[in-house]
Each structure stands twice: as C-alpha cells, then as structure tokens.
Amino acid sequence: MAKKVKFKLDGREIEADEGRLVIDAAKDAGVNIPHYCYHPALGNPGNCRMCVVEVAGAPKPQVSCRTPVREGLDVKTESEPIKRARAAMLELHLVNHPLDCPVCDQAGECGLQNYYMEIGQYQSQVRENKDHKGKRIEVGPHVMLDQERCILCTRCTRFVDNVTKTHELGIFRRGHSERVELTPGLILDNAYSGNVVDVCPVGALTDRDFRYKVRVWYLDETDSICTGCSRGCNISVHTNTKRPWHNDGKRVARLKPRHNHDVNGHWMCDDGRYGIGALDSGRLGRVLKLTPERRDASWESAAEEIAKALKAGGVAFVASGMLSNEDWAAAKELFAGAKLYFCPEPDQIGVEDDFLRRREKVPNLKGAEALGLKSGSFDELARDLESGKVKTLYVVERDLAKIWGAERAKALIAKAAFRVYQGPNKNELSESFDFRLPATAYVEESGHFTNFEGKVQAYCKALEPIGQARPDAEIFRLIAAAAPAARREVAA
Amino acid sequence: MTKILTKHFDEPKLHELETYRRLDGYKGLAKALTMAPAEVTAEVLKSNLRGLGGAGFPTGAKWGTVPPVDKVPGPRYVVVNCDESEPGCFKDRVLVTRAPHQLIEGLLIAAHALGAKETYIFIRGEYQNQYDVLRRAIDEANAAGLTKHASIDLMRGAGAYISGLDTALLETMEGKKAWPRQPPPFPTVAGLMGKPTVVNNVETLSMLPFILREGGEAFAKIGSPKNGGTVVFSVSGHVRNPGIYEVPMGSTLRAVLAEAGGVREGHKLKCVIPGGTSMPPLMEKDLDLKLDFDQIRAAGTFLGAGGMIVLDETADAVDVAHNIERFLAHESCGQCTPCREGAVWTVEILERVMSGGGVSEDIPNLTRLGENVTGKTICALGDTVGMVSRAYLQRFPEDFKKRIPDGQKS
C-alpha cells in the first residue's frame, strides 16, 4: 500500500497515494484534466502538452501526466495562466487539423471537438494553408487511417509497440512532416488491431466496420460481457435504435472494451469486437411446431408438449457455454436426470494466446462447472442416438452439423423420437426438429457469466427481444411449470 | 590572453599522439589515475568548470548526481556530445580536428572519475573528417595503452539537429528516433540503456587535462566568479576575421569582437547573436557586457555554445528571424505539439510578411504564438522557437512594421 499524502487541487485538500500522477489523482477527485497523449495503460510521454497545470514553486506550467503527487503539492488546474496555456495547446493542435468534423466518424466522441467546445476560442487566427497528408489509408483489415486528422499523440504506436509488441505502426519522418505510417512490409492485422481505434483520441484511426454507418450520438451504451471466449472481457454494447434505417438495420452498431483491470484491462480482441455481425442474421422470432407440418405454436402448448416428452425419460440435453449462470441453474432443475452435453468441440475451440484470447470460444463453461454439471462426450451422444437410447433430444444454441457434419448430424437427430431446438439464430439443422423455440440473444437479456478464472460478471440487457423470443432460463422454467409432477418424477 | 584549449594550435602535428605528449599531453590523465575518483570530481567542482555545450551546468555538480557504484551497481557511461549542429557553432569541429587527444584525455579522466568502463563519442554524421581524425587518435591511444581503464567507441549521428540534446542523443544511440526524453529521470540517473550516464560536450571535457594538471583553483582563477577557465567562441557573420577565439570567461563582448577584427569595413553593428542562432541577440548597448553564463542573462539571452554571429545594418530582422525559425521548424523533432505546429506556423506567418501579405494582426499573433510555445515543450527547442521570433520583434519592431502594409497601425 502506497503512503497516503495530502495535496491541494484548486485549493481543495485531496488525499491520494504518494507518487500517483496528478492527472489520475485529479480524476479520482472528479477533476478531468484535458489530455491526449496520456493513457493509463500506454504511459505518459508528455508530448501533447494539453494536461498542463500550475504547480506552486515551479517556474513554468507542468504536465500533470508526469507530475507525481507528494505531500503539500499545490496544483491549480483552472487558473488564468493555465486556461490560457490549455487554449494555446488546443489552438496549436488545430493549426493543421482539417476540421472536417461533419464528415468525420469521430465527431461526437472526439477529444479535439470536446475540448474545443469546452475551451472556446472559436475565432480562428490561422490565415495559412493547412498541411496535406494521406487520407483514407487502409492500414489493416479493420482500421482506416487519416494522417491529416492525426495529432501525433503516439498512443497507437505505443499500443503496437508495448501491448501487442507487433510494431505495425510508427511515426515516420520529422517535425511537421511527421506522420503515422505502416512499418514497411507490415499491415495492421494483429489480433487486437481494433484497439488502436479506441485509443485514438481523434478521428485519425477509425473502424472500417463502423465508418459512415451511424452517428455516435444516436447510440446507446450498455454494459456487457463479450461472449467470444471464456476470458469474459468487459465490453460496452453500442446499440442503434433511434435511427433504425441507418447501419443497414443492424441494431448493434459496435462493441467497445470497458476497462476492467482484473480481466481485460482496456482491451478486447478483434474476434470479439467484430464477431457481432451475425447477431441479428437468421433470427428466430416465433415458436414453431415443425412436425408433422410446420405451424405456429403458443409458448404454453409447446411447453406442455415438451414437458410431457421430458417426463418420459431418455433425455439428452445439448447446450454450450453460451448459457448464463441463470440459464444453467434453470437447466439443472429441468434436466435433472437427463444426460448433458455441453463440452466445447472443434466448433467452439479456437486460437489461444498469452494475452486475452482463450481456447474455448464460449463465455460460460465455468458457470456449469460451478453448479456441478458434467458434460458427456459428443461421441457418446452419437452412440446413444444411434442405439435409440435417446428418446428426447433438446438442443440449445448449438449447431450439431459443425460437430458431426451436416449429413451425419441430420441422420442422428432423426433417430430421436422427440426433438427440440432452442436458440436465437437459425442454423443449418434448426429445421430438423419437432419444435423450434426462439431464445434471446445475450444483448437482449441480463445475466451473469463465470469466466475461466471463476470471476462472476454481470451483463445487461441492451435491446428488446425479437418476436416471441425469451431468455433460455425463462423457457426452462416455463416448461418446468407446465409439468411440475413430471419434474418431481424425473428428479426421483 | 590566457589560452587553454587552443594554446598549442600553432603546432602543425598537434593531432598526433607524439606531439601532444611532448606538449604536456596525458599528464593530466596520469595524475588523475593516481587520485581517487571522488578526488577528481572534487577538483573539477573546485575549478568552476561549466558545461560548455550550452546549458552551463556546473560539470562537477553534474557528475555528483551520478549515484555511487555501491548504491547503484552496474555499468555507467560517459558520452561525449560531439553532435555540434547549432548554426553558428563550429568550435567543436576545430577542437576535434586540431586536438583530438585533448578530448580523449579529458574523456579518460572523466571515465576514471565516474567509474565508467565504457565511453562513447557521439559525433555528428556530417563530420566525416573529424570522425577520421578521432578514429586515428583513438587507435593511437589504444595502441599506447592509455585506454586500459575505459574503452572508447565512436558513434555517428544521422543528421538530426535535435540529437545534440543529451536525451535525444541517448535515444539515437539506442537506435531509436531522436525524440528527447522528458526528465526526470535525468541521464545521470538513468541514461544510456537506463544506466547512469554523463553526457558532456567536447569543449567541456577538453578542459579536464588542464584542470588536473594545473589544479582546479588555477582554472577557476582564469575565469569570472562561478565560471572557471576560458570559453571558445565561434565568431562568424559580418566581422573581418571569422574564426574561433578562446577568451577567459567574463571577457566583454567588445573584447571578443576585437579579437575577430570588429565589424566589417564601412558597416556598423546591428546586433550579435551570442551563443548560436537559438539565442536572442545582444545589442550595441551590450558591448561592455561580461560574457559568462550568469552575467549574460542580464541582457535576456544565453551564452549557449558560443556560436557568435555578428550582424551589421544590412541584416533585416524579419529575414534573420525567418532564417532561424525555418531552421528550427525543419529540425523540430515533432514530438511535442506546440513546437511542431508552432514553429511551422511562425515560419508561415513570417513568409507571408516577407512576401508583402502581412497584416497588422501578425505582430500580436507572432508574439502570442511565441509565448504559447515557450516553456510548453519537453526540450528547449520549443523555447527557442518562441524566443527567437519574440526577441527580434521586441528588439527590431520597425523592421517588421515596414514589411507590413498596414503595419504602422499596430
């Protein structure tokens, strides 16, 4: 534990850890000191000079991102000289900035724009022409670079140098010719490239995925957890419901990492970030009875019929780590006595690295484990289906074609007498069941995931469910309620 | 006048070890090696030797900030800053060409005082001849067994002015872009490769043989209070005899000009840039100013690295300011926004003024811009960007006003 010391911030006495940077200590105390180059995870080169403060005894303004707190330090962030200095720094940042806010995707969340509105000095004194540099440079599969908008704060180069250590971006040339460029022979295609867009305080680096799709001020932000793997990166889901005709009708406009020091720091991987494209494709919205002929069903009639089948025994429950802790608890009750299959097969196993990405590409296997649930192997399930041991097959959000191949999976599913598919999206085989139940996507419900380290994390509802879709846990409880007697028998 | 560094410059073969030795060469080192390192530092402290690369920081005091080996074990380095690139400065070039062994001896004394086993000479890339001279001198010193206690390596710069700044120089040596570091920590605590490093200028180190040979007090006696020994001015511009002139610290501006033969025939003095183009100029009224690091401050300027440029009445302040600012804009490393943007903006305003497009707001804007850049950057280049334009505006407002069509109004 660092020693606590008292220092003065704009005349107010503040307690902070000795050695904590003034810019951070001020933030803790609710004072946001404008800055560009400083980023808590990327260091403090002190090159933007925006965060200048007055320190009693110092002959000139000091950068608060490099001034450690010590006992008796007297800091002023709003004195007249500091206000002037800050306005001057902003003016100098804008001398060669194109000021193309109306066509810039960063507008609405831009450091230059925000401070400009805050600091004022709206009458330009610049009579000179602006520097011209490169526009619309595709530096990688996900990121677009505009060198004219860049303020050379070096956050992105520090990210690729110090966090991913892949060095794709660098500052080349010198002085006012300086620009961010790709290192010769490289492209920005590391697994975390999207983060440079987040750290860029201006519109120099933008998401190719998000460019010109929807204005940021139409977006709503909801705290959530990434479902891309078992890391459970804390994210913010940015949804667009105010302008549904923008962004090709996609309700989730983008995902952004949310700082959690213990899980993902400030970052998330590109797989997680850009894996949202399929969220609303092929959504299931209606409760359907597919056999003997396809017709709409009510939740109640479906629940009753399914409950009856479950009561008969010989139940195989197929799910995945996509279920929340709440879902797992409800499933444990409803499927007591059934055989469970939820272990990750090649369909849910992917690349792992020593940073964030985990091998299991589902968020919540640990939640099942914590409830004592054990998964059988899919080979065993195939054998039991083959031999007719499985009477009722209940599949939640899992594409068996990806495990067994479409043909074999279809044949095996057909062996069960009664089959239920439940999930948010269609898949190749979702028509091969007796019932098809629409479930909510994770952005349409609230719940908890337990990450691979056992950390239980909440995610929140960002959007209304589509059609009749309900959360998995609710569906399980509905079925359980339809046949309380059956449940008791199975349990016994 | 007392000479220390240039005393034997009449000797044609001073650059050779044999000649240098004959003229008391390496006696200072021999003496230093009989002394404890701390005693050497104490002698340097006594001498009032100041950093002659421009900062004027007391050399002994700088050495004193290197943590002792028993507190911070591991290597420490001495680096010679021979990246002389300030326009108007050429004394290091002459010192290295004529007396390379003087520098090497000084460097080896410093290495002993600081416990450095490895030393480096970082030389400006354009100094090809000086590199060859130094290379040969180092080979001679190695062959003569003078470098047993510390090795000397030569490293060449790649053409950036800013590499002459100690922390940028260290970044360059580490193979990085020459971007100055924001102290603290200072290089003496964490310098090259994060190890304690003393970066000293060629001229500073070249003084050490004399200090060790004759004693710190004898050195201090030559100069003015707190400014020991001599200083070498590179005098250029509108003078009769441009060249390098060694004078005792605290000599008057008049005396230095007299050494160089005064202002060229038929012209009269306009101003004198005392320490290299980055420094505000001295005026005729300052002729009796005593030139040392402390007294020159009274005239609002700095001794810098002694790059004295004399300008007569044919020089126009707008042209001079533009010339200097253009250099600074070109050499700004681009790291800090105020300097990167401010320098170019200053140049652009001056260019517009020079081409007849000046407006009355340009003068207050230049002043405001100068103030906004000064003191707002990691290194001093930003300060000079702001200082130069303001200095010429303040000293020669009429030169600016006559270039601006409606300038008389402001």
Side-chain angles (χ1 to χ4, degrees), chain A residues 95-285:
Chain A
V95 175
N96 280 302
H97 185 82
L99 297 169
D100 57 344
C101 312
V103 296
C104 176
D105 270 291
Q106 192 81 2
E109 51 182 9
C110 171
L112 289 170
Q113 213 180 31
N114 292 347
Y115 295 143
Y116 177 76
M117 295 315 290
E118 204 176 297
I119 292 167
Q121 206 175 26
Y122 301 136
Q123 186 59 52
S124 171
Q125 299 293 316
V126 185
R127 289 164 184 274
E128 274 56 50
N129 290 327
K130 291 183 188 281
D131 275 351
H132 287 295
K133 297 180 183 172
K135 309 279 287 179
R136 296 177 303 280
I137 303 167
E138 294 168 2
V139 287
H142 303 301
V143 182
M144 190 74 88
L145 165 67
D146 184 316
Q147 293 170 332
E148 289 187 349
R149 292 179 188 155
C150 175
I151 57 166
L152 294 161
C153 71
T154 70
R155 277 187 183 186
C156 58
T157 62
R158 282 178 278 146
F159 178 80
V160 296
D161 284 343
N162 305 331
V163 179
T164 60
K165 300 186 170 61
T166 44
H167 315 287
E168 295 98 339
L169 296 172
I171 308 264
F172 292 85
R173 312 190 201 191
R174 190 176 67 206
H176 81 294
S177 306
E178 222 156 51
R179 58 201 68 187
V180 168
E181 273 176 312
L182 281 173
T183 305
L186 296 181
I187 57 165
L188 183 65
D189 60 351
N190 70 61
Y192 299 89
S193 67
N195 291 295
V196 300
V197 176
D198 303 338
V199 298
C200 181
V202 300
L205 294 166
T206 47
D207 243 314
R208 293 177 64 184
D209 198 45
F210 181 70
R211 274 164 67 88
Y212 306 129
K213 291 293 196 276
V214 53
R215 282 303 202 177
V216 297
W217 50 85
Y218 295 132
L219 298 179
D220 296 304
E221 297 176 17
T222 310
D223 289 356
S224 189
I225 300 296
C226 179
T227 58
C229 79
S230 60
R231 173 73 57 179
C233 290
N234 291 209
I235 59 167
S236 184
V237 177
H238 291 207
T239 49
N240 165 35
T241 50
K242 299 191 180 96
R243 289 291 183 280
W245 54 91
H246 291 171
N247 198 22
D248 312 323
K250 284 187 192 136
R251 297 182 300 160
V252 177
R254 62 180 181 181
L255 304 181
K256 287 277 183 190
R258 189 158 51 89
H259 178 236
N260 184 332
H261 179 269
D262 299 323
V263 179
N264 55 310
H266 295 265
W267 323 119
M268 71 185 292
C269 74
D270 288 356
D271 299 348
R273 185 190 300 262
Y274 302 111
I276 46 156
L279 192 86
D280 271 354
S281 76
R283 281 300 298 272
L284 307 181

Side-chain angles (χ1 to χ4, degrees), chain A residues 45 47 49 60 66 88-89 91-93 96 125-128 151-152 154 171 173-176 178, chain B residues 177 179 182 184 330-338 340-341 344 348 352 361 365 368 372 376 378:
Chain A
N47 61 38
R49 314 308 282 184
K60 54 183 188 178
R66 291 190 69 92
M89 293 308 105
E91 181 183 31
L92 288 160
H93 272 96
N96 280 302
Q125 299 293 316
V126 185
R127 289 164 184 274
E128 274 56 50
I151 57 166
L152 294 161
T154 70
I171 308 264
R173 312 190 201 191
R174 190 176 67 206
H176 81 294
E178 222 156 51
Chain B
K177 200 174 161 79
W179 272 8
Q182 167 89 68
H330 184 255
E331 293 297 344
S332 167
C333 81
Q335 186 178 200
C336 305
T337 304
R340 180 183 68 234
E341 304 293 339
V344 174
E348 286 172 347
R352 191 159 43 70
E361 296 94 74
N365 261 343
R368 190 175 62 88
N372 288 346
K376 308 289 196 316
I378 289 173

